[in-house]
Structure formats: structure tokens, C-alpha cells
């Protein structure tokens, strides 16, 4: 199965700062990479699909890039509601797999 | 607006079968446009993909649970179901159902249930 490794595990930033999250795949997933946001006690929320496409209603400060094995989620300027855990998931191979998550916390 | 709602026993004894349902409202589970997925999350940990099914009955499972899991659709009740046999404490988790699009974007799980907590304990 494809292993997704997210880094860093925790990102401590202040509101207004830029967040850069990484997701690396153990083998190519082409552009089949998805990003989700999860807040405590809530289900995950779809942010980005096919590496760089924002889902409906997702603010423009969220952007995704990458292809193959290296992907990045960037939050341009952190809003208070952006502090959460972010997961990447690949949808190119079976079984679908998730990264272990990156927690973006308030510094 | 499509909504998903998981339900089932919150407590299951070891070695027994965990059975959950996901009620789909505001849309048809028979839609050929979607697939339906179960995902779980142990307390304080990350997400694990369990498997998915299409209205046709075609399924894909995670090898980690494949020998114990059955995911199916009941079109008459507009429900998705999960059965996981021979459970152990390691199966304790919040279980989510979610919907994905087959041939149209967004190519990800765009609608999720709120999750249901299952504890495996005697």
C-alpha cells in the first residue's frame, strides 16, 4: 500500500502567518491527492482534490500543489478558524490511504 | 442537501460482529454518480479507510480488515451498512460514512456523517 508521510507533525503559527504543510507518498499517486481539514469533535471536511483544486466553498487562502510523490498544502494567511488537523489522502491506488495528519496550532 | 447519519451500538463485545448503518437523506444512494465509504478514527489518532461500495454492489476493502468486513447498500432503505466481525479492542473508533463522486469533481469525499463512536469491551 502507498504510505503517505506528512510533515511537520505539528505547526505552531500565529494568525496571519503562512502555513506550509507537506505530504510525501511512498510511490507516485500522480495527481490523485486530496486534503481534508478536521476540527475537534467534527468529521473531516474536503478542502482540495486532485492536488490543486479547491472544493466548493473553500476560501482562496487554501491552495494545493504538487504531483507524483510530493505535495504541499498552503494556507496563505491563517484565520482563527484554520487551526485544526490536516490530512492528505491518496485516491490513486487500493487501498486508499491517509497521512498521519499535521496539526496546525496557535503559537 | 444530502446528509449522512451513522447509527449502531456504541458498545460491542470482543469477538462479536460490529454492525453500523448510515442513513442517506436528501438524495438517493442508488445514484450512479457516487460511491459510499466507511472510514474510522481511533481516539486521538488518524483516519483509516475501511472500504467503499457502489450502488451496483461492487466493493473495495482495506486488506487490514478485508477478511472481516462487509460493506453493502440497501437501496430500499437508502442506507449503507458496515459489518465487521471478530472485533477486538483495536476496532474501537469513531466510524464515519462518507460520499464520493465517481465521474465528476470533486474527486474526494465531499459529504460525511457526524460519526458514531464504537467501543469494543466486555
Amino acid at each position: 500500500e502507498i504510505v503517505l508521510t506528512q510533515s511537520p507533525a505539528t505547526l505552531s503559527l500565529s494568525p496571519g502567518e503562512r502555513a506550509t504543510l507537506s505530504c510525501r507518498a511512498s510511490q507516485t499517486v500522480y495527481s490523485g491527492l486530496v486534503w481534508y481539514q478536521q476540527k475537534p469533535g467534527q468529521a473531516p471536511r474536503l478542502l482540495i482534490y486532485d492536488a490543486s483544486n479547491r472544493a466548493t466553498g473553500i476560501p482562496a487562502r487554501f491552495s494545493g500543489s504538487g504531483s507524483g510523490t510530493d505535495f504541499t498544502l498552503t494556507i496563505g494567511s491563517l484565520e482563527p478558524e484554520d487551526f485544526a488537523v490536516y490530512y492528505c489522502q491518496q485516491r490513486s491506488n487500493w487501498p486508499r490511504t491517509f497521512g498521519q495528519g499535521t496539526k496546525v496550532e496557535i503559537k | 442537501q444530502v446528509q449522512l447519519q451513522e447509527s449502531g451500538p456504541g458498545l460491542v463485545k470482543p469477538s462479536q460482529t460490529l454492525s453500523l448503518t448510515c442513513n442517506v437523506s436528501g438524495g438517493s444512494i442508488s445514484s450512479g454518480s457516487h460511491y459510499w465509504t466507511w472510514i474510522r478514527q481511533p481516539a486521538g489518532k488518524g483516519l483509516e479507510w475501511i472500504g467503499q461500495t457502489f450502488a451496483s454492489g461492487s466493493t473495495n476493502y482495506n486488506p487490514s480488515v478485508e477478511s472481516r468486513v462487509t460493506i453493502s447498500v440497501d437501496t430500499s432503505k437508502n442506507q449503507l451498512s458496515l459489518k465487521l466481525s471478530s472485533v477486538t479492542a483495536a476496532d474501537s473508533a469513531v466510524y464515519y460514512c462518507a460520499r464520493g463522486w465517481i465521474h465528476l469533481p470533486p474527486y474526494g469525499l465531499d459529504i460525511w456523517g457526524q460519526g458514531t463512536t464504537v467501543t469494543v469491551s466486555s
Side-chain angles (χ1 to χ4, degrees):
Chain A
E1 73 176 41
I2 294 178
V3 176
L4 299 179
T5 302
Q6 292 187 240
S7 61
T10 304
L11 200 50
S12 299
L13 295 168
S14 300
E17 289 193 296
R18 181 185 187 91
T20 303
L21 288 67
S22 174
C23 177
R24 178 164 290 178
S26 59
Q27 63 190 78
T28 185
V29 299
Y30 306 96
S31 62
L33 199 284
V34 186
W35 289 96
Y36 298 93
Q37 175 196 67
Q38 187 179 34
K39 296 180 181 179
Q42 295 185 18
R45 172 194 182 195
L46 176 64
L47 293 178
I48 301 284
Y49 64 93
D50 284 358
S52 61
N53 297 284
R54 276 189 303 277
T56 302
I58 302 303
R61 63 181 181 273
F62 290 92
S63 63
S65 62
S67 66
T69 61
D70 289 295
F71 300 87
T72 301
L73 174 69
T74 302
I75 310 172
S77 176
L78 282 164
E79 296 288 338
E81 62 268 27
D82 299 336
F83 292 91
V85 179
Y86 293 83
Y87 293 95
C88 58
Q89 182 218 344
Q90 62 82 19
R91 64 174 202 90
S92 293
N93 280 66
W94 304 106
R96 306 309 196 211
T97 49
F98 289 90
Q100 81 280 17
T102 290
K103 181 179 182 180
V104 179
E105 65 176 23
I106 299 176
K107 187 174 181 179
Chain B
Q1 177 75 352
V2 175
Q3 292 185 316
L4 308 181
Q5 175 78 52
E6 305 90 346
S7 62
L11 182 64
V12 182
K13 289 182 166 46
S15 79
Q16 292 190 342
T17 296
L18 178 164
S19 296
L20 299 177
T21 59
C22 172
N23 188 62
V24 179
S25 59
S28 173
I29 202 168
S30 303
S31 164
S33 299
H34 303 110
Y35 60 89
W36 308 90
T37 300
W38 285 99
I39 286 162
R40 66 183 180 181
Q41 184 172 37
K45 296 188 178 180
L47 302 166
E48 181 184 25
W49 183 86
I50 298 172
Q52 71 179 50
T53 189
F54 301 84
S56 64
S58 172
T59 55
N60 298 92
Y61 296 131
N62 193 322
S64 67
V65 296
E66 187 166 15
S67 63
R68 302 189 290 130
V69 70
T70 302
I71 295 174
S72 61
V73 165
D74 186 333
T75 56
S76 66
K77 295 181 179 179
N78 219 35
Q79 286 179 342
L80 172 70
S81 73
L82 169 72
K83 293 188 187 301
L84 185 65
S85 64
S86 304
V87 297
T88 69
D91 296 309
S92 298
V94 175
Y95 284 75
Y96 295 100
C97 57
R99 182 191 83 169
W101 288 81
I102 299 173
H103 299 303
L104 294 171
Y107 296 110
L109 300 169
D110 68 334
I111 295 179
W112 294 64
Q114 86 285 359
T116 188
T117 300
V118 176
T119 301
V120 178
S121 175
S122 55

